[in-house]
Amino acid sequence: MKNVLLSSSAVALVTMASAPAAAAEWEISLGGYMEQFIVYGSSDSPAGTDFDGVDVQSDTEIIFTPSITLDNGIKFSANIQLEGNTSGDQIDESFVSIKGSFGEILVGSENSAGYKMQYAAPDATFFGINSGSSTAIIPSNTGDGFFRSTLGSTFLENNGTANNDAMRITYFTPRFAGFQLGVSYARDGTQDDNIRDNCSAAGVTCDYFDIGTNYVQSFGDFSIAASARWGIALTGGAVATDPQVYGFGVNLGYAGFTIGGSFAEQNGTADNDGTAYDIGASYETGPWAFSVTYFHGENHDNDNPNATSGGSSANDETFDQVLVGIDYKLAKGVRLNGFGGYVDFDEDARNTTDADGFFIGTGIRLDF
């Protein structure tokens, strides 16, 4: 697969190199989004904790996108995403895009092809049932499995956060008869730097391959969007494993109604193996949208020692969530949200970290 990806990229680069020089001009766009939420949450949390009450939460990114289009139609652009709410990763993603009749090539820090091509259950909220946002309102023992992993999402990165926004190369084919294919390769999981991991070291995972495909088509009032993906990587050490990720999703739409869902599975990791699925329905009419969505996630080997199991790391965890939402488009790039939900977190081996509760809130999103 690595040779296929590199060969596809080479063909595209030869095409660009043989094209005549162009007197094109750069365009620089500044955009992004801001989300502000006012949320009330009430939970039955572990002893000695109190997370109840009203809170304000935020998510913001400023996105810089300089671009230039040559006379032959090939477009070069950069995408640099500055985080507005973070204490760690100040630059979220940063990559170059090369787009033309041959498809699109992405080079830099970005999610994998399978992740980007995934479809999941419809959700009218920008709070997001697949985002893990509710864990900030009803905190629990988050372990290792929420972000980009099966406890919190069907949008997985192979090996979880160790491979999120890795420095990779991705190729997307042109869409033909509704079908599109994407392939990715990352040598290791490093992000935003030029440091190479030692791929022979115990526990270090390298050679992340990912392939995804989706199909998008409309037939009168009926529409379908379906996706499937698979990824694999190699972990060094005496007992080497090959982390693998699978997933598929589908949305069916008719006259404003959409039903759909997705499934994802992770295997071969130290502490992120598990499964996740979601299902939901939505309805859109004019500026209004409504949805109800259910998510279930499991982590089968979270590495959290505990007294009741004698320090064993085999602590199965489950996370269930229901999210109901209403969305109203007030103007171009201005959305108002109302939402409510219930979550339930359980860890089989011990009950001191179990948590459940409900939340209700409103939010505004500005896309600019």
Side-chain angles (χ1 to χ4, degrees), residues 61-84:
E61 284 191 5
I62 304 297
I63 303 175
F64 304 87
T65 53
S67 64
I68 187 169
T69 302
L70 308 187
D71 287 346
N72 57 17
I74 297 174
K75 182 178 181 178
F76 292 80
S77 63
N79 189 297
I80 305 166
Q81 302 176 13
L82 175 66
E83 291 279 10

Side-chain angles (χ1 to χ4, degrees), residues 22-23 31 45 73 85 122 160 203 214 258 274 301 315:
S45 305
N85 303 97
N214 62 30
T258 303
D301 58 0
N315 301 333

Side-chain angles (χ1 to χ4, degrees), residues 39-43 51 57 127 133-139 339 358-359:
V39 190
Y40 172 80
S42 177
S43 62
F51 298 107
Q57 297 182 346
F127 183 80
S133 298
S134 61
T135 61
I137 304 168
I138 314 293
F339 55 87
F358 73 91
F359 57 88

Side-chain angles (χ1 to χ4, degrees), residues 12-336:
L13 292 173
V14 169
T15 302
M16 290 181 284
S18 61
E25 297 292 334
W26 280 93
E27 297 180 0
I28 300 179
S29 299
L30 177 64
Y33 68 89
M34 172 176 279
E35 299 172 349
Q36 297 287 353
F37 303 98
I38 303 174
V39 190
Y40 172 80
S42 177
S43 62
D44 180 11
S45 305
T49 62
D50 179 7
F51 298 107
D52 293 358
V54 177
D55 197 7
V56 175
Q57 297 182 346
S58 306
D59 184 21
T60 307
E61 284 191 5
I62 304 297
I63 303 175
F64 304 87
T65 53
S67 64
I68 187 169
T69 302
L70 308 187
D71 287 346
N72 57 17
I74 297 174
K75 182 178 181 178
F76 292 80
S77 63
N79 189 297
I80 305 166
Q81 302 176 13
L82 175 66
E83 291 279 10
N85 303 97
T86 183
S87 58
D89 187 16
Q90 195 64 59
I91 299 296
D92 181 18
E93 297 165 346
S94 58
F95 57 90
V96 165
S97 167
I98 307 168
K99 192 172 185 179
S101 59
F102 52 83
E104 184 176 16
I105 299 171
L106 303 181
V107 182
S109 173
E110 172 62 310
N111 291 114
S112 63
Y115 175 95
K116 291 176 69 67
M117 302 184 82
Q118 169 87 357
Y119 282 94
D123 182 356
T125 76
F126 45 82
F127 183 80
I129 198 167
N130 260 294
S131 67
S133 298
S134 61
T135 61
I137 304 168
I138 314 293
S140 57
N141 178 25
T142 56
D144 302 294
F146 274 93
F147 186 67
R148 301 289 188 259
S149 298
T150 56
L151 266 183
S153 182
T154 60
F155 288 86
L156 307 183
E157 285 293 12
N158 194 10
N159 205 28
T161 56
N163 178 38
N164 182 56
D165 294 342
M167 302 294 289
R168 73 179 89 242
I169 180 170
T170 298
Y171 171 67
F172 296 104
T173 68
R175 191 170 293 278
F176 178 74
F179 288 96
Q180 187 178 34
L181 179 72
V183 289
S184 292
Y185 172 74
R187 179 191 177 273
D188 52 51
T190 57
Q191 174 190 358
D192 298 335
D193 60 46
N194 296 315
I195 299 173
R196 286 194 170 200
D197 284 344
N198 176 7
C199 292
S200 64
V204 175
T205 303
C206 291
D207 291 327
Y208 288 94
F209 294 97
D210 201 86
I211 182 168
T213 185
N214 62 30
Y215 173 76
V216 181
Q217 196 62 271
S218 296
F219 308 93
D221 289 337
F222 177 78
S223 64
I224 181 173
S227 63
R229 54 88 58 97
W230 172 76
I232 191 170
L234 304 175
T235 301
V239 184
T241 60
D242 298 338
Q244 296 187 54
V245 64
Y246 310 84
F248 61 84
V250 64
N251 280 189
L252 302 175
Y254 181 77
F257 290 93
T258 303
I259 61 172
S262 61
F263 173 85
E265 181 174 349
Q266 172 79 71
N267 293 305
T269 67
D271 52 19
N272 281 316
D273 288 1
T275 58
Y277 65 86
D278 62 11
I279 186 170
S282 68
Y283 175 68
E284 294 187 36
T285 176
W288 293 93
F290 311 86
S291 68
V292 56
T293 314
Y294 169 72
F295 172 86
H296 175 81
E298 299 180 6
N299 185 318
H300 298 312
D301 58 0
N302 184 38
D303 190 17
N304 286 324
N306 65 87
T308 59
S309 64
S312 170
S313 63
N315 301 333
D316 283 1
E317 296 176 325
T318 60
F319 183 75
D320 293 276
Q321 181 178 180
V322 177
L323 181 65
V324 178
I326 302 174
D327 183 75
Y328 181 74
K329 295 180 177 65
L330 185 63
K332 182 180 179 180
V334 182
R335 294 171 56 190
L336 302 179

